[in-house]
């Protein structure tokens, strides 16, 4: 029996998986969930519909051929005045396959956006989502402890929004 290589590791019994194969597998798994796939400078970005976020996250983590088991960061972007206004970027690592992926979600909802939490999928999302809530005002439905983490509890507004007054509220 010959040993297969996955991302440079020997003896895992899995075949090597490239970025094109990931995007193909995701599109075959649920064509409606993936709206765009972009490769830039060696990193694959998959744009996911807001309503499919949790489903795609669970698939990326639990599918043995993908195995994106580490959420390294979640970044929010305020694209004001564009719509949808907010964007979330989930930076994922597959330690077994030595690959990385950015899962992007454009969040609809205007001034008071709500998106589902991925904390049950990747527990480290807990603090990332709290920080985004605190600084951008995005609410994560189903989050176990959604409260401010950096700003005082009585703080008004969300300081990283582009429409936040630079000199503060008067």
């Amino acid at each position: 029996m010959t040993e297969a290589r996955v991302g440079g590791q020997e003896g895992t019994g899995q075949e090597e998986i490239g970025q094109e194969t990931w995007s193909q597998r995701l599109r075959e798994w649920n064509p409606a969930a993936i709206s765009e796939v972009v490769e830039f400078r060696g990193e694959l970005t998959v744009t996911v519909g807001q309503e499919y976020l949790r489903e795609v996250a669970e698939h990326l983590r639990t599918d043995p051929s993908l195995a994106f088991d580490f959420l390294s960061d979640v970044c929010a972007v305020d694209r004001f005045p564009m719509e949808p206004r907010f964007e979330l970027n989930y930076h994922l690592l597959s330690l077994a396959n030595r690959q990385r992926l950015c899962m992007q979600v454009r969040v609809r909802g205007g001034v008071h956006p709500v998106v589902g939490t991925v904390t049950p999928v990747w527990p480290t999302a807990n603090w990332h989502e709290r920080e985004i809530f605190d600084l951008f005002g995005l609410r994560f439905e189903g989050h176990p402890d959604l409260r401010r983490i950096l700003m005082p509890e009585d703080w008004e507004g969300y300081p990283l929004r582009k429409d936040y007054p630079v000199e503060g509220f008067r």
Side-chain angles (χ1 to χ4, degrees):
M1 180 174 166
T2 61
E3 291 184 326
R5 295 179 63 85
V6 178
Q9 292 182 345
E10 296 181 14
T12 62
Q14 298 176 0
E15 61 188 80
E16 187 170 335
I17 299 170
Q19 290 181 347
E20 283 184 28
T21 307
W22 294 343
S23 62
Q24 288 170 352
R25 286 186 182 179
L26 282 173
R27 286 182 189 263
E28 289 169 4
W29 168 73
N30 188 344
I34 311 300
S35 59
E36 183 180 19
V37 177
V38 176
E39 190 274 326
F40 182 71
R41 295 189 179 184
E43 182 173 271
L44 189 67
T45 300
V46 176
T47 304
V48 174
Q50 181 176 342
E51 61 277 11
Y52 297 104
L53 172 60
R54 175 81 173 270
E55 186 179 352
V56 172
E58 288 173 348
H59 182 71
L60 287 170
R61 182 178 174 111
T62 60
D63 184 322
S65 65
L66 300 171
F68 285 98
D69 51 0
F70 184 72
L71 173 67
S72 64
D73 195 17
V74 182
C75 300
V77 179
D78 183 354
R79 305 171 350 137
F80 181 78
M82 296 172 51
E83 284 297 330
R85 178 175 177 171
F86 296 100
E87 177 180 293
L88 293 171
N89 295 294
Y90 295 81
H91 299 273
L92 308 171
L93 294 173
S94 172
L95 299 174
N97 296 325
R98 292 186 178 179
Q99 298 293 332
R100 61 185 172 194
L101 174 74
C102 178
M103 180 174 61
Q104 182 180 82
V105 179
R106 294 190 178 119
V107 182
R108 299 177 304 277
V111 181
H112 304 289
V114 178
V115 66
T117 184
V118 296
T119 300
V121 181
W122 296 292
T124 188
N126 185 328
W127 290 76
H128 295 296
E129 290 175 353
R130 284 182 62 191
E131 180 181 20
I132 291 168
F133 165 70
D134 196 8
L135 300 176
F136 286 93
L138 276 79
R139 296 198 174 273
F140 292 89
E141 188 174 51
H143 192 280
D145 185 23
L146 194 61
R147 59 188 165 96
R148 289 201 180 263
I149 192 170
L150 298 172
M151 306 302 289
E153 285 295 327
D154 61 346
W155 190 267
E156 292 182 26
Y158 305 103
L160 290 186
R161 285 192 175 189
K162 287 188 177 177
D163 58 357
Y164 188 79
V166 178
E167 296 178 14
F169 290 106
R170 295 185 184 244

